[in-house]
Structures are given as C-alpha cells and as structure tokens.
Amino acid sequence: MSQVMPDWSVLAATCPSRTSLARIANKWTAMAVSVLGNNGRMRFGDLRTQLDGISGKVLTETLRDLERDGLVTRHVHAEVPPRVEYELTELGFTLHVPLLALCRWAEEHIAEVLVNRESYDAR
C-alpha cells in the first residue's frame, strides 16, 4: 500500500515547514550554508573567521540546528586535541544555490535599499 504524503504549506499555521523556513531565513544559517557550500569541509575556527561578527555560542547553536535538520554533517577526528570539521550534506547543498542567490541579491541591491531607507526615514 502506498503512503499518501500530506500537502505542506508554509502559509498554514500548523505546518511544520514553517520551522524550516524560519531556520533558513536566519541570517547566520544563510551565511554558514553559503560559506560551507563555497569552501567544503571546514573547522569551527575557520568557519567562525569567515562569518565575521558571529559569536562562538551562536555559531555552535547554528551548526547544531543545521546538523539536526540534516543539512550539515559534523566530523570528529580522534586526535589530541580533537579536530572537528563541518560540511554540507547532500540536502544542505540543495539549499546552497538559493541562499547564495539571496546573498548576492543583498550585495547587488544594498545601495538601492539604503537610498530607499534614507528617503523613507526623511519623511
């Protein structure tokens, strides 16, 4: 017997896809996925260096959330001191391209956005 999949809609208040959308919309998630997608497997410290302004606590929480959702894999190497690396999973890579497009959009259009903000605030 085949299983019927529910119709998911982020517009429905009870839809669990809303939590995924909220996680994806988080600025640190978008940037972490972008950095890992561009650089491949990375150590925590290198990732933190790339994500200018993120605290260690927030990066840890972001990586744990991404790992929980199956978007990032954590690799622990049995060394002293322990070496830990993170990389996108296959599912994580499906998110890399759209998030990269959003990051590029933000960079390409920030001048227009700033002009609009200034105009709005001057009213």
Side-chain angles (χ1 to χ4, degrees), residues 16-33 61-72 95 99:
S17 65
R18 279 192 175 190
T19 59
S20 289
L21 182 59
R23 174 130 32 250
I24 293 164
N26 176 287
K27 72 177 180 180
W28 294 119
T29 294
M31 288 188 265
V33 169
E61 291 169 357
T62 300
L63 291 169
R64 282 187 185 149
D65 289 341
L66 291 170
E67 184 179 10
R68 182 175 182 235
D69 287 352
L71 301 171
V72 165
L95 188 56
L99 286 181

Side-chain angles (χ1 to χ4, degrees), residues 1 11 18-20 46 48 51 73 115:
M1 186 181 341
L11 302 179
R18 279 192 175 190
T19 59
S20 289
D46 296 331
R48 185 172 176 197
L51 297 172
T73 299
V115 166

Side-chain angles (χ1 to χ4, degrees), residues 3 11 27-28 52 54 58 60 70 84 90 96 98 102 111 120:
Q3 185 177 5
L11 302 179
K27 72 177 180 180
W28 294 119
D52 189 26
I54 194 170
V58 170
T60 297
V84 179
E90 192 173 317
H96 178 247
L102 287 172
Y120 182 91

Side-chain angles (χ1 to χ4, degrees), residues 38-104:
N38 289 337
N39 296 299
R41 190 182 287 202
M42 295 181 74
R43 294 182 74 163
F44 183 91
D46 296 331
L47 188 53
R48 185 172 176 197
T49 299
Q50 290 285 316
L51 297 172
D52 189 26
I54 194 170
S55 70
K57 179 181 184 250
V58 170
L59 179 55
T60 297
E61 291 169 357
T62 300
L63 291 169
R64 282 187 185 149
D65 289 341
L66 291 170
E67 184 179 10
R68 182 175 182 235
D69 287 352
L71 301 171
V72 165
T73 299
R74 182 176 183 259
H75 302 277
V76 180
H77 301 275
E79 300 173 359
V80 177
R83 181 169 50 103
V84 179
E85 298 174 316
Y86 298 88
E87 72 177 325
L88 292 182
T89 62
E90 192 173 317
L91 180 61
F93 271 107
T94 67
L95 188 56
H96 178 247
V97 172
L99 286 181
L100 192 58
L102 287 172
C103 290
R104 285 190 182 137

